[in-house]
Amino acid sequence: MRDLLDHIAAKWTTLVLLALEQEPRRFNTLLRMLPDISRRMLTQSLRDLERGGFIDRTVFPTKPPAVQYALTPMGHSLMGPIRSLIGWAEANETALNAARARYDAAQA
Amino acid sequence: MRDLLDHIAAKWTTLVLLALEQEPRRFNTLLRMLPDISRRMLTQSLRDLERGGFIDRTVFPTKPPAVQYALTPMGHSLMGPIRSLIGWAEANETALNAARARYDAAQA
DNA sequence: CAGGATCCGAGCGGATACTG
DNA sequence: CAGTATCCGCTCGGATCCTG
């Protein structure tokens, strides 16, 4: 459990998974899809996800080389629970912001 | 969404929520329940969760003072999605470890 | 008992330059 | 194109001491 949390916790990994959900993507495509991620962080996140068996990395020996990242079956199966989190977040977004504003106001 | 991820990402917050799910707890009780957390990190996590409206903090003016932390309705409602993640983690624990072992072996 | 304050080392993560 | 390498500021987080 701790393990999984550390993955989700990685802050970018979940966004990467979402970017790959529809179809496999290439490195620079992902870079463009995730506006605030740096090359370095994207590389790290991809390695982390690959290590966990969530994504597959395929290198095409073209020139220049192309690298494709795709969700594994296990990666896809994780999307269910993630969707459930997203649903919650959307449903409670307003309440969440309100709670924070209230708290911050009380501290001022 | 980013917001929620940052919460979950806080690495301890989810564990704190789980510790509070059954019944309200006091500070030192939580400290004992979460073996590897430091006082400082527990305080931070609690503040963060309070700010987000996930938990309530109640001070009893006894001597010495007692402070109780309890899930709010919103906090409880988040447990559903979290349970779904936990279920996934339990179901895929073996596959996850295997994937990691495989990856690490390939790198060696 | 519940925590704030302070100090400090380790690592996260960005920017830039370089490679196959 | 898809990275790696290096430098470096900054925050995370532990340890310790102090308070109401």
Short mmCIF file of all heavy atoms in Angstrom, two decimals, chain C:
data_model
loop_
_atom_site.label_atom_id
_atom_site.label_comp_id
_atom_site.label_asym_id
_atom_site.label_seq_id
_atom_site.Cartn_x
_atom_site.Cartn_y
_atom_site.Cartn_z
P DC C 1 1.06 12.12 27.54
OP1 DC C 1 0.22 11.25 26.76
OP2 DC C 1 2.42 12.37 27.09
"O5'" DC C 1 0.28 13.53 27.70
"C5'" DC C 1 -1.13 13.45 27.70
"C4'" DC C 1 -1.67 14.62 26.90
"O4'" DC C 1 -1.09 15.83 27.40
"C3'" DC C 1 -1.31 14.53 25.43
"O3'" DC C 1 -2.47 14.83 24.67
"C2'" DC C 1 -0.22 15.57 25.22
"C1'" DC C 1 -0.44 16.55 26.36
N1 DC C 1 0.85 17.06 26.91
C2 DC C 1 1.12 18.43 26.87
O2 DC C 1 0.28 19.20 26.38
N3 DC C 1 2.29 18.88 27.36
C4 DC C 1 3.16 18.02 27.87
N4 DC C 1 4.31 18.52 28.36
C5 DC C 1 2.91 16.63 27.94
C6 DC C 1 1.75 16.18 27.44
P DA C 2 -2.59 14.54 23.12
OP1 DA C 2 -4.01 14.36 22.79
OP2 DA C 2 -1.63 13.49 22.79
"O5'" DA C 2 -2.12 15.93 22.47
"C5'" DA C 2 -2.94 17.06 22.70
"C4'" DA C 2 -2.29 18.31 22.17
"O4'" DA C 2 -1.11 18.62 22.95
"C3'" DA C 2 -1.80 18.22 20.71
"O3'" DA C 2 -2.22 19.39 20.02
"C2'" DA C 2 -0.30 18.12 20.84
"C1'" DA C 2 -0.05 18.94 22.08
N9 DA C 2 1.20 18.66 22.78
C8 DA C 2 1.76 17.44 23.03
N7 DA C 2 2.90 17.50 23.68
C5 DA C 2 3.10 18.86 23.87
C6 DA C 2 4.13 19.60 24.49
N6 DA C 2 5.19 19.04 25.07
N1 DA C 2 4.02 20.95 24.51
C2 DA C 2 2.95 21.52 23.93
N3 DA C 2 1.90 20.93 23.31
C4 DA C 2 2.05 19.59 23.32
P DG C 3 -2.02 19.53 18.48
OP1 DG C 3 -2.89 20.61 18.03
OP2 DG C 3 -2.09 18.23 17.81
"O5'" DG C 3 -0.52 20.02 18.45
"C5'" DG C 3 -0.34 21.23 17.76
"C4'" DG C 3 0.85 21.85 18.38
"O4'" DG C 3 1.39 20.99 19.38
"C3'" DG C 3 2.01 21.96 17.40
"O3'" DG C 3 1.95 23.14 16.61
"C2'" DG C 3 3.20 22.06 18.32
"C1'" DG C 3 2.63 21.56 19.67
N9 DG C 3 3.60 20.63 20.21
C8 DG C 3 3.64 19.27 20.16
N7 DG C 3 4.67 18.75 20.75
C5 DG C 3 5.36 19.85 21.22
C6 DG C 3 6.55 19.93 21.95
O6 DG C 3 7.28 19.01 22.32
N1 DG C 3 6.91 21.25 22.25
C2 DG C 3 6.17 22.35 21.87
N2 DG C 3 6.64 23.54 22.22
N3 DG C 3 5.04 22.29 21.20
C4 DG C 3 4.69 21.01 20.91
P DG C 4 1.51 24.20 16.19
OP1 DG C 4 0.37 24.58 17.05
OP2 DG C 4 1.32 24.02 14.75
"O5'" DG C 4 2.66 25.29 16.40
"C5'" DG C 4 2.45 26.34 17.35
"C4'" DG C 4 3.79 26.87 17.84
"O4'" DG C 4 4.49 25.84 18.57
"C3'" DG C 4 4.73 27.32 16.72
"O3'" DG C 4 5.23 28.63 17.05
"C2'" DG C 4 5.84 26.28 16.71
"C1'" DG C 4 5.84 25.79 18.15
N9 DG C 4 6.27 24.39 18.26
C8 DG C 4 5.60 23.29 17.81
N7 DG C 4 6.20 22.16 18.07
C5 DG C 4 7.35 22.53 18.74
C6 DG C 4 8.40 21.74 19.28
O6 DG C 4 8.52 20.51 19.27
N1 DG C 4 9.39 22.51 19.88
C2 DG C 4 9.35 23.89 19.96
N2 DG C 4 10.39 24.46 20.56
N3 DG C 4 8.38 24.64 19.46
C4 DG C 4 7.42 23.90 18.87
P DA C 5 6.27 29.34 16.07
OP1 DA C 5 6.18 30.79 16.34
OP2 DA C 5 6.04 28.82 14.69
"O5'" DA C 5 7.68 28.81 16.59
"C5'" DA C 5 8.09 29.06 17.93
"C4'" DA C 5 9.62 29.01 18.00
"O4'" DA C 5 10.05 27.65 18.20
"C3'" DA C 5 10.32 29.52 16.74
"O3'" DA C 5 11.50 30.23 17.12
"C2'" DA C 5 10.64 28.23 15.98
"C1'" DA C 5 10.87 27.22 17.11
N9 DA C 5 10.47 25.86 16.78
C8 DA C 5 9.34 25.47 16.11
N7 DA C 5 9.23 24.16 15.98
C5 DA C 5 10.35 23.66 16.61
C6 DA C 5 10.82 22.35 16.82
N6 DA C 5 10.17 21.26 16.40
N1 DA C 5 11.98 22.19 17.47
C2 DA C 5 12.64 23.29 17.91
N3 DA C 5 12.30 24.58 17.77
C4 DA C 5 11.13 24.69 17.11
P DT C 6 12.37 31.00 16.02
OP1 DT C 6 12.89 32.24 16.63
OP2 DT C 6 11.61 31.04 14.75
"O5'" DT C 6 13.59 29.99 15.83
"C5'" DT C 6 14.25 29.47 16.99
"C4'" DT C 6 15.22 28.38 16.60
"O4'" DT C 6 14.50 27.14 16.40
"C3'" DT C 6 16.00 28.63 15.30
"O3'" DT C 6 17.38 28.66 15.61
"C2'" DT C 6 15.66 27.44 14.41
"C1'" DT C 6 15.20 26.40 15.42
N1 DT C 6 14.27 25.38 14.89
C2 DT C 6 14.57 24.05 15.07
O2 DT C 6 15.56 23.66 15.66
N3 DT C 6 13.64 23.18 14.55
C4 DT C 6 12.49 23.50 13.86
O4 DT C 6 11.74 22.63 13.45
C5 DT C 6 12.25 24.91 13.70
C7 DT C 6 11.02 25.36 12.99
C6 DT C 6 13.14 25.77 14.22
P DC C 7 18.49 29.07 14.51
OP1 DC C 7 19.49 29.93 15.19
OP2 DC C 7 17.81 29.56 13.29
"O5'" DC C 7 19.16 27.67 14.20
"C5'" DC C 7 19.53 26.82 15.31
"C4'" DC C 7 20.00 25.48 14.77
"O4'" DC C 7 18.85 24.66 14.44
"C3'" DC C 7 20.83 25.59 13.48
"O3'" DC C 7 22.01 24.80 13.60
"C2'" DC C 7 19.90 25.07 12.40
"C1'" DC C 7 19.05 24.08 13.17
N1 DC C 7 17.72 23.83 12.57
C2 DC C 7 17.23 22.51 12.50
O2 DC C 7 17.92 21.59 12.95
N3 DC C 7 16.03 22.28 11.93
C4 DC C 7 15.31 23.30 11.45
N4 DC C 7 14.13 23.03 10.90
C5 DC C 7 15.79 24.65 11.52
C6 DC C 7 16.99 24.87 12.08
P DC C 8 23.20 24.95 12.57
OP1 DC C 8 24.44 24.79 13.35
OP2 DC C 8 22.99 26.15 11.71
"O5'" DC C 8 22.98 23.66 11.68
"C5'" DC C 8 22.85 22.38 12.30
"C4'" DC C 8 22.39 21.37 11.28
"O4'" DC C 8 20.97 21.54 11.05
"C3'" DC C 8 23.07 21.51 9.92
"O3'" DC C 8 23.70 20.28 9.57
"C2'" DC C 8 21.95 21.85 8.96
"C1'" DC C 8 20.73 21.29 9.67
N1 DC C 8 19.47 21.97 9.30
C2 DC C 8 18.36 21.19 8.91
O2 DC C 8 18.46 19.97 8.92
N3 DC C 8 17.22 21.83 8.55
C4 DC C 8 17.17 23.17 8.56
N4 DC C 8 16.03 23.74 8.20
C5 DC C 8 18.29 23.97 8.94
C6 DC C 8 19.42 23.34 9.30
P DG C 9 24.90 20.33 8.50
OP1 DG C 9 26.15 20.27 9.29
OP2 DG C 9 24.69 21.43 7.52
"O5'" DG C 9 24.71 18.94 7.75
"C5'" DG C 9 24.38 17.76 8.48
"C4'" DG C 9 23.39 16.93 7.69
"O4'" DG C 9 22.15 17.67 7.56
"C3'" DG C 9 23.86 16.59 6.27
"O3'" DG C 9 23.63 15.20 6.05
"C2'" DG C 9 22.99 17.46 5.38
"C1'" DG C 9 21.72 17.63 6.21
N9 DG C 9 20.99 18.88 5.98
C8 DG C 9 21.47 20.15 6.08
N7 DG C 9 20.58 21.08 5.84
C5 DG C 9 19.43 20.37 5.55
C6 DG C 9 18.13 20.83 5.21
O6 DG C 9 17.73 22.00 5.10
N1 DG C 9 17.25 19.77 4.99
C2 DG C 9 17.58 18.44 5.08
N2 DG C 9 16.61 17.56 4.82
N3 DG C 9 18.80 18.00 5.41
C4 DG C 9 19.66 19.01 5.63
P DA C 10 24.05 14.53 4.67
OP1 DA C 10 24.56 13.19 4.96
OP2 DA C 10 24.87 15.50 3.90
"O5'" DA C 10 22.64 14.38 3.94
"C5'" DA C 10 21.60 13.60 4.56
"C4'" DA C 10 20.43 13.47 3.60
"O4'" DA C 10 19.78 14.76 3.47
"C3'" DA C 10 20.81 13.03 2.20
"O3'" DA C 10 19.84 12.09 1.74
"C2'" DA C 10 20.81 14.32 1.40
"C1'" DA C 10 19.74 15.14 2.12
N9 DA C 10 19.97 16.59 2.08
C8 DA C 10 21.15 17.24 2.24
N7 DA C 10 21.05 18.55 2.18
C5 DA C 10 19.68 18.77 1.96
C6 DA C 10 18.93 19.94 1.81
N6 DA C 10 19.45 21.16 1.86
N1 DA C 10 17.60 19.80 1.61
C2 DA C 10 17.07 18.57 1.57
N3 DA C 10 17.69 17.39 1.71
C4 DA C 10 19.01 17.57 1.90
P DG C 11 19.97 11.43 0.31
OP1 DG C 11 19.47 10.03 0.44
OP2 DG C 11 21.32 11.70 -0.23
"O5'" DG C 11 18.91 12.24 -0.56
"C5'" DG C 11 17.53 12.16 -0.22
"C4'" DG C 11 16.74 13.17 -1.02
"O4'" DG C 11 17.24 14.51 -0.77
"C3'" DG C 11 16.83 12.98 -2.54
"O3'" DG C 11 15.57 13.29 -3.08
"C2'" DG C 11 17.84 14.05 -2.95
"C1'" DG C 11 17.42 15.15 -2.01
N9 DG C 11 18.40 16.22 -1.83
C8 DG C 11 19.75 16.10 -1.65
N7 DG C 11 20.36 17.24 -1.50
C5 DG C 11 19.35 18.18 -1.57
C6 DG C 11 19.39 19.59 -1.47
O6 DG C 11 20.37 20.32 -1.27
N1 DG C 11 18.14 20.16 -1.59
C2 DG C 11 16.98 19.45 -1.80
N2 DG C 11 15.85 20.16 -1.91
N3 DG C 11 16.91 18.14 -1.89
C4 DG C 11 18.13 17.57 -1.77
P DC C 12 14.91 12.52 -4.26
OP1 DC C 12 14.31 11.30 -3.70
OP2 DC C 12 15.89 12.44 -5.34
"O5'" DC C 12 13.72 13.49 -4.68
"C5'" DC C 12 12.93 14.13 -3.67
"C4'" DC C 12 12.55 15.53 -4.13
"O4'" DC C 12 13.65 16.44 -3.96
"C3'" DC C 12 12.15 15.58 -5.59
"O3'" DC C 12 10.94 16.31 -5.69
"C2'" DC C 12 13.32 16.32 -6.27
"C1'" DC C 12 13.83 17.19 -5.15
N1 DC C 12 15.29 17.53 -5.24
C2 DC C 12 15.69 18.87 -5.24
O2 DC C 12 14.82 19.76 -5.21
N3 DC C 12 17.02 19.15 -5.28
C4 DC C 12 17.92 18.17 -5.32
N4 DC C 12 19.21 18.50 -5.34
C5 DC C 12 17.53 16.79 -5.32
C6 DC C 12 16.22 16.52 -5.29
P DG C 13 10.07 16.20 -7.03
OP1 DG C 13 8.67 16.49 -6.66
OP2 DG C 13 10.41 14.92 -7.70
"O5'" DG C 13 10.62 17.41 -7.90
"C5'" DG C 13 10.59 18.72 -7.36
"C4'" DG C 13 11.42 19.65 -8.21
"O4'" DG C 13 12.82 19.45 -7.93
"C3'" DG C 13 11.28 19.42 -9.73
"O3'" DG C 13 11.05 20.67 -10.35
"C2'" DG C 13 12.63 18.85 -10.12
"C1'" DG C 13 13.52 19.55 -9.13
N9 DG C 13 14.84 18.96 -8.97
C8 DG C 13 15.17 17.63 -8.95
N7 DG C 13 16.45 17.42 -8.80
C5 DG C 13 17.00 18.68 -8.71
C6 DG C 13 18.35 19.09 -8.55
O6 DG C 13 19.36 18.38 -8.44
N1 DG C 13 18.47 20.47 -8.51
C2 DG C 13 17.42 21.36 -8.62
N2 DG C 13 17.72 22.65 -8.57
N3 DG C 13 16.15 20.99 -8.77
C4 DG C 13 16.02 19.64 -8.81
P DG C 14 10.49 20.74 -11.84
OP1 DG C 14 9.05 21.01 -11.76
OP2 DG C 14 10.96 19.54 -12.57
"O5'" DG C 14 11.22 22.02 -12.46
"C5'" DG C 14 11.16 23.27 -11.78
"C4'" DG C 14 12.40 24.10 -12.13
"O4'" DG C 14 13.57 23.46 -11.58
"C3'" DG C 14 12.63 24.25 -13.63
"O3'" DG C 14 12.75 25.64 -13.96
"C2'" DG C 14 13.94 23.51 -13.90
"C1'" DG C 14 14.61 23.48 -12.54
N9 DG C 14 15.40 22.26 -12.34
C8 DG C 14 14.92 20.98 -12.26
N7 DG C 14 15.86 20.09 -12.07
C5 DG C 14 17.03 20.83 -12.03
C6 DG C 14 18.37 20.41 -11.85
O6 DG C 14 18.81 19.26 -11.69
N1 DG C 14 19.27 21.48 -11.88
C2 DG C 14 18.89 22.79 -12.05
N2 DG C 14 19.88 23.68 -12.05
N3 DG C 14 17.64 23.21 -12.22
C4 DG C 14 16.76 22.17 -12.19
P DA C 15 12.86 26.05 -15.50
OP1 DA C 15 12.25 27.40 -15.59
OP2 DA C 15 12.36 24.95 -16.36
"O5'" DA C 15 14.43 26.18 -15.72
"C5'" DA C 15 15.20 26.98 -14.82
"C4'" DA C 15 16.60 27.18 -15.40
"O4'" DA C 15 17.43 26.05 -15.03
"C3'" DA C 15 16.65 27.26 -16.93
"O3'" DA C 15 17.56 28.29 -17.31
"C2'" DA C 15 17.11 25.88 -17.36
"C1'" DA C 15 17.95 25.43 -16.18
N9 DA C 15 17.91 23.99 -15.95
C8 DA C 15 16.81 23.18 -15.97
N7 DA C 15 17.07 21.91 -15.71
C5 DA C 15 18.43 21.89 -15.51
C6 DA C 15 19.33 20.85 -15.19
N6 DA C 15 18.95 19.58 -15.02
N1 DA C 15 20.63 21.16 -15.06
C2 DA C 15 21.02 22.44 -15.22
N3 DA C 15 20.27 23.50 -15.52
C4 DA C 15 18.98 23.15 -15.65
P DT C 16 17.71 28.63 -18.88
OP1 DT C 16 17.98 30.08 -18.96
OP2 DT C 16 16.59 28.04 -19.64
"O5'" DT C 16 19.04 27.85 -19.27
"C5'" DT C 16 20.17 27.93 -18.40
"C4'" DT C 16 21.23 26.92 -18.83
"O4'" DT C 16 20.84 25.60 -18.37
"C3'" DT C 16 21.41 26.80 -20.35
"O3'" DT C 16 22.76 27.12 -20.67
"C2'" DT C 16 21.11 25.32 -20.66
"C1'" DT C 16 21.33 24.66 -19.30
N1 DT C 16 20.58 23.40 -19.11
C2 DT C 16 21.25 22.28 -18.71
O2 DT C 16 22.46 22.28 -18.49
N3 DT C 16 20.48 21.17 -18.56
C4 DT C 16 19.11 21.05 -18.79
O4 DT C 16 18.53 19.99 -18.62
C5 DT C 16 18.47 22.26 -19.22
C7 DT C 16 17.00 22.27 -19.48
C6 DT C 16 19.22 23.37 -19.35
P DA C 17 23.21 27.18 -22.28
OP1 DA C 17 24.09 28.34 -22.44
OP2 DA C 17 22.02 27.02 -23.13
"O5'" DA C 17 24.10 25.86 -22.39
"C5'" DA C 17 25.08 25.56 -21.39
"C4'" DA C 17 25.65 24.18 -21.63
"O4'" DA C 17 24.69 23.19 -21.21
"C3'" DA C 17 25.97 23.89 -23.11
"O3'" DA C 17 27.25 23.26 -23.21
"C2'" DA C 17 24.86 22.95 -23.54
"C1'" DA C 17 24.55 22.22 -22.23
N9 DA C 17 23.19 21.69 -22.17
C8 DA C 17 22.02 22.34 -22.47
N7 DA C 17 20.95 21.60 -22.33
C5 DA C 17 21.45 20.37 -21.92
C6 DA C 17 20.82 19.15 -21.60
N6 DA C 17 19.50 18.97 -21.66
N1 DA C 17 21.61 18.12 -21.23
C2 DA C 17 22.93 18.31 -21.17
N3 DA C 17 23.64 19.41 -21.45
C4 DA C 17 22.82 20.41 -21.81
P DC C 18 27.85 22.88 -24.68
OP1 DC C 18 29.29 23.18 -24.64
OP2 DC C 18 26.98 23.48 -25.73
"O5'" DC C 18 27.68 21.29 -24.73
"C5'" DC C 18 28.29 20.49 -23.70
"C4'" DC C 18 27.80 19.05 -23.80
"O4'" DC C 18 26.38 19.02 -23.57
"C3'" DC C 18 28.03 18.40 -25.16
"O3'" DC C 18 28.75 17.19 -24.98
"C2'" DC C 18 26.63 18.13 -25.70
"C1'" DC C 18 25.79 18.07 -24.44
N1 DC C 18 24.37 18.45 -24.64
C2 DC C 18 23.38 17.48 -24.51
O2 DC C 18 23.70 16.32 -24.24
N3 DC C 18 22.08 17.85 -24.69
C4 DC C 18 21.77 19.12 -24.98
N4 DC C 18 20.49 19.43 -25.14
C5 DC C 18 22.77 20.12 -25.13
C6 DC C 18 24.05 19.75 -24.95
P DT C 19 29.25 16.31 -26.33
OP1 DT C 19 30.54 15.69 -25.98
OP2 DT C 19 29.10 17.17 -27.52
"O5'" DT C 19 28.17 15.16 -26.40
"C5'" DT C 19 28.24 14.03 -25.49
"C4'" DT C 19 27.19 13.02 -25.87
"O4'" DT C 19 25.90 13.67 -25.90
"C3'" DT C 19 27.38 12.38 -27.26
"O3'" DT C 19 27.27 10.98 -27.12
"C2'" DT C 19 26.23 12.94 -28.07
"C1'" DT C 19 25.17 13.17 -27.00
N1 DT C 19 24.11 14.16 -27.33
C2 DT C 19 22.81 13.72 -27.36
O2 DT C 19 22.49 12.57 -27.16
N3 DT C 19 21.90 14.70 -27.66
C4 DT C 19 22.14 16.03 -27.91
O4 DT C 19 21.22 16.81 -28.16
C5 DT C 19 23.52 16.42 -27.85
C7 DT C 19 23.91 17.84 -28.13
C6 DT C 19 24.44 15.47 -27.57
P DG C 20 28.10 9.99 -28.09
OP1 DG C 20 29.03 9.26 -27.23
OP2 DG C 20 28.59 10.79 -29.24
"O5'" DG C 20 27.00 8.96 -28.64
"C5'" DG C 20 26.12 8.28 -27.76
"C4'" DG C 20 24.92 7.81 -28.56
"O4'" DG C 20 24.01 8.92 -28.75
"C3'" DG C 20 25.26 7.31 -29.96
"O3'" DG C 20 24.37 6.26 -30.30
"C2'" DG C 20 24.99 8.54 -30.83
"C1'" DG C 20 23.77 9.11 -30.13
N9 DG C 20 23.53 10.55 -30.32
C8 DG C 20 24.43 11.57 -30.38
N7 DG C 20 23.89 12.74 -30.54
C5 DG C 20 22.54 12.48 -30.59
C6 DG C 20 21.42 13.36 -30.74
O6 DG C 20 21.43 14.59 -30.87
N1 DG C 20 20.22 12.67 -30.74
C2 DG C 20 20.09 11.31 -30.60
N2 DG C 20 18.86 10.82 -30.62
N3 DG C 20 21.12 10.48 -30.45
C4 DG C 20 22.30 11.13 -30.45
#
